């Protein structure tokens, strides 16, 4: 069984395997496990796109999705995450997809379940399938990540995406720079250096805008004052200054008129909705990996898995 | 691709086609799209029957229903309806069924998506599948709507049903009259005239009772005083005054003892639960229409769709 | 059609039939109704395991599960449970699984629907599928219930499990004793007698711990003071005093460190997660029974049902 918890634990070779499988899914190839498999999506934080994207990915693989509503679950009665997860395993669920507001919630589960866990976001920490879909989108555009300059802009400190991405991008050969309000930089990150916003946008091949996480800033005096769009956002003027083939990315949901001028959300350079499309393919690849290599003792092991061409 | 947003936009010919298909479904005929299709139900207002009815209709057509929980969606993070809809389109959803508290929410989406939108109710405006199921129920009873007298009674001003229905009923040849508390009449409606409650019930072939929308009247001083049932409801006495073959309809949920005496909810004249049954068939027909005529550019076009007889 | 509302209404012969079918499912045998069948799970109280367990059971039988969210349903608009149930029947749902906070909510529905209702817990009253999974777990362990001594410990007064279980256990030949805080005993129960905690645990073949229902004790001055675990819980010391082959059961969710020392939750004697596993098999058997014997007038009658061996 192959959990996916953080990007750091993936070797470059494994990242490339996942991306290759995702490419295959994008081209219409199909894969299905050899038997009926249940999966549960445990989202302890609101989300449209990640949850729906996982659900579409699961259904396309022919998995059976068990509905789990965190709001009305026994977690409300004080049950631990471990007991909830073990319960789902006991009733026959073959994999768990979990989003949780607590950083590294999965440490509580490690080595204690015999079904894979796929991390759909933990606190301000990791969001590996988001990183992978970003990588896929860049790879589709430029063939390789080698020698690309990638500017990550915005709320680095609270961003799952920034942390998951920066290291992976570096390991795959890209140069990463950060920009945005100084209050929101995280100088503890090992990969990437700080660059002035205008210069970063002008010289990057890929500009990755981050969401302003309003819901994480309630009562936070570190939020920058003034007009965010003109100071640190993608204005029409900055867009015009970009290199000819450079692209714009954003994990969404977009705060229109803040991180990006509303009219640029679907401009020629924008890959924002392409990223969402790719999210499904990446998640299919991650789920395939989870079941495919499931170890012997697991009754949910997929036997007859094989690739076949979509008709 | 064929969205369905309002009754007004449907020509009489199109209404009849949908009703004909719904009849076929009621008789057990089946139809399935030629390939795996996802649909999402976005309900931003509470509903049991409309949401469940759409879900049963979707499943009977073999569609894959993606669960969407408006309460925990990114709309909570301030995402626009357009961005949510476009997101779902991007991840591969082939049609959206939407209920929203805002009148004409769909204007924001028109011409901007390449998947069909089916309106499951907008604010106090339209609710076309409810109108269609009403039409189907009347047609089953009387064969045709020509020359029938139809009394719509109750909260006309706040009712999606009244507005969607009145015009369609008139266009199909019926005579429409309204009755109920004067405060709740809407004299801007083009079809239909006001009639005294007792006379309306005595002379109508179809009495359509409307729900008192408590949830829309909070702090509304226009709500009528006194005993609603005896003033404007279907009492046993009024029921006895009806024409021999006249029927009673109500969109439900019923406020028992308000719009109608509780004992009459399942009386011989009542078609209330029949309406619910018909709702599934009408929604199957509307979904069939949405996918069947999907235009060339849409990857979710249904190829091998065909009618076949249920076994 | 075969509803299942309380354990009392089941004859010993019927209990044994259900357990036999559940055993078959546990061994991998399969059963499917002859046609497409919809089922809706109406949970008006929070639950993870019961709801998910029913959903897995339903899916394993090939049933189509209609999503029903009690929080956003028309019950919020004041609709009665009967009208909600009748609505679901009208749109084609073939069985209802209901959990409701009101004792004997099902009396309102009896004889008025023509689809089966399966009680997934009513107030402080009944929870028959929990009782059945307990019986299955004990039977798997000891072959028969005859002459076993079973100690039910904890919050008898508020426990659905205690009431559902005590009578059934007695009827199947077991001796039942109760233990726990005197304030929480229910001396109106007909089966079983009170015994001191240490003696009960030392002499029982099966120790069934009950959950402390915090959510039912808000503002309840009858809650016992002091350290529950050391007074009435399964401590390591008490566990060591148990008979060699005696087992520990708990309906879960467990309050770790209250009813049971956290380290004992997965000890050798514990059948807590085994119970959850068995829950799926018992619910499959109960659903099979509901559809299998559905009477003539029901369009959801299962025609070609048969047992077949899983491959």
């Amino acid at each position: 069984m192959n959990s996916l918890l953080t990007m750091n634990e993936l070797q470059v070779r494994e990242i490339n395997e996942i991306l290759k499988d995702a490419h295959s899914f994008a081209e219409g190839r199909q894969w299905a496990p050899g038997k009926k498999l249940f999966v549960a999506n445990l989202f302890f934080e609101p989300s449209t796109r990640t949850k729906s994207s996982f659900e579409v990915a699961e259904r396309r693989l022919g998995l059976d999705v068990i509905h789990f509503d965190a709001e009305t679950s026994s977690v409300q009665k004080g049950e631990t995450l471990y007991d909830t997860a073990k319960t789902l395993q006991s009733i026959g669920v073959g994999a768990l997809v979990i989003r949780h507001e607590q950083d590294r919630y999965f440490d509580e589960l490690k080595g204690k379940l015999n079904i894979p866990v796929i991390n759909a976001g933990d606190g301000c920490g990791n969001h590996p399938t988001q990183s992978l879909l970003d990588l896929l989108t860049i790879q589709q555009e430029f063939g390789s990540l080698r020698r690309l300059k990638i500017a990550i802009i915005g709320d680095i400190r609270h961003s799952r995406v920034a942390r998951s991405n920066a290291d992976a991008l570096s390991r795959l050969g890209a140069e990463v720079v950060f920009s945005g309000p100084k209050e929101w930089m995280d100088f503890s990150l090992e990969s990437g250096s700080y660059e002035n916003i205008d210069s970063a946008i002008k010289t990057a091949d890929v500009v990755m805008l981050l969401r302003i996480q309003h819901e994480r800033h309630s009562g936070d005096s570190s939020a920058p004052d003034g007009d965010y769009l003109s100071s640190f956002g993608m204005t029409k003027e900055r867009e015009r200054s970009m290199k000819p083939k450079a692209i714009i990315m954003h994990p969404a949901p977009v705060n229109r008129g803040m991180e990006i001028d509303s009219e640029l959300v679907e401009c020629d350079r924008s890959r924002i909705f392409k990223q969402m499309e790719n999210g499904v393919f990446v998640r299919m690849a991650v789920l395939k990996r989870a079941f495919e290599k499931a170890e012997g003792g697991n009754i949910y092991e997929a036997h007859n898995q094989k690739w076949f061409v979509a008709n």
Side-chain angles (χ1 to χ4, degrees), chain A residues 1-255:
Chain A
M1 117 200 152
N2 266 317
S3 290
L4 177 60
L5 305 177
T6 68
M7 285 303 284
N8 287 348
E9 73 194 13
L10 290 179
Q11 297 176 3
V12 169
R13 180 186 51 74
E14 292 174 294
I15 293 174
N16 284 327
E17 276 172 17
I18 294 170
L19 295 178
K20 201 178 141 203
D21 276 359
H23 270 296
S24 293
F25 285 122
E27 284 166 0
R29 289 176 77 97
Q30 299 186 3
W31 176 91
K35 59 190 293 185
K36 195 177 188 67
L37 279 170
F38 291 99
V39 60
N41 301 319
L42 284 64
F43 278 66
F44 296 91
E45 288 191 320
S47 166
T48 304
R49 86 205 58 244
T50 305
K51 192 174 178 187
S52 302
S53 174
F54 265 109
E55 195 172 336
V56 170
E58 291 153 0
R59 304 285 196 89
R60 283 205 182 161
L61 296 178
L63 305 175
D64 245 302
V65 185
I66 291 298
H67 182 70
F68 179 89
D69 187 349
E71 300 290 313
T72 62
S73 78
S74 289
V75 175
Q76 299 292 49
K77 301 184 188 169
E79 190 175 45
T80 63
L81 181 61
Y82 168 73
D83 283 341
T84 299
K86 178 94 189 201
T87 295
L88 290 165
Q89 175 185 301
S90 298
I91 63 174
V93 171
L96 303 176
V97 175
I98 307 180
R99 166 171 287 190
H100 200 284
E101 66 277 11
Q102 189 192 314
D103 280 17
R104 299 190 67 81
Y105 67 82
F106 43 76
D107 287 342
E108 183 186 344
L109 307 176
K110 261 185 188 164
K112 295 168 83 178
L113 299 173
N114 51 26
I115 56 174
V117 173
I118 294 166
N119 182 12
D122 64 294
C124 300
N126 303 279
H127 192 359
T129 57
Q130 177 72 40
S131 294
L132 288 164
L133 75 87
D134 289 343
L135 296 178
L136 180 65
T137 306
I138 298 171
Q139 207 181 61
Q140 283 175 341
E141 198 69 31
F142 298 99
S144 158
L145 282 94
R146 293 219 162 272
R147 281 184 282 273
L148 293 180
K149 177 170 178 179
I150 296 175
I152 303 181
I153 293 173
D155 185 359
I156 314 293
R157 195 151 59 87
H158 295 90
S159 169
R160 281 192 276 249
V161 182
R163 291 153 183 268
S164 287
N165 268 354
D167 284 345
L169 290 165
S170 301
R171 286 197 285 147
L172 288 164
E175 176 199 357
V176 178
V177 299
F178 298 112
S179 197
K182 287 255 166 79
E183 306 91 305
W184 284 353
M185 291 300 105
D186 179 348
F187 297 103
S188 71
L189 285 171
E190 291 178 12
S191 319
S193 58
Y194 181 78
E195 185 169 340
N196 163 278
I197 180 78
D198 291 302
S199 138
I201 287 180
K202 201 174 295 182
T203 57
D205 298 292
V206 178
V207 175
M208 302 180 78
L209 305 169
L210 302 178
R211 263 195 85 238
I212 298 186
Q213 311 261 30
H214 293 298
E215 66 276 20
R216 296 191 196 278
H217 290 155
S218 52
D220 180 350
S221 61
S222 76
D225 295 334
D227 179 351
Y228 185 85
L229 178 63
S230 64
S231 306
F232 301 104
M234 180 61 76
T235 58
K236 288 179 193 165
E237 198 184 335
R238 288 196 183 104
E239 188 270 338
R240 278 191 298 267
S241 79
M242 289 173 72
K243 288 167 69 175
K245 297 193 170 171
I247 61 170
I248 298 169
M249 294 170 68
H250 187 296
V254 171
N255 295 300

Side-chain angles (χ1 to χ4, degrees), chain A residues 267-285:
Chain A
C267 73
D268 281 352
R269 293 188 191 280
S270 168
R271 295 297 174 273
I272 297 177
F273 289 106
K274 185 73 183 171
Q275 286 172 274
M276 296 179 199
E277 226 181 293
N278 283 335
V280 174
F281 304 128
V282 154
R283 286 164 185 132
M284 290 171 83

Side-chain angles (χ1 to χ4, degrees), chain A residues 31-37 61 291 300-306:
Chain A
W31 176 91
K35 59 190 293 185
K36 195 177 188 67
L37 279 170
L61 296 178
F291 288 120
Y300 295 100
E301 187 179 6
H303 291 296
N304 316 317
Q305 73 274 8
K306 55 174 191 273

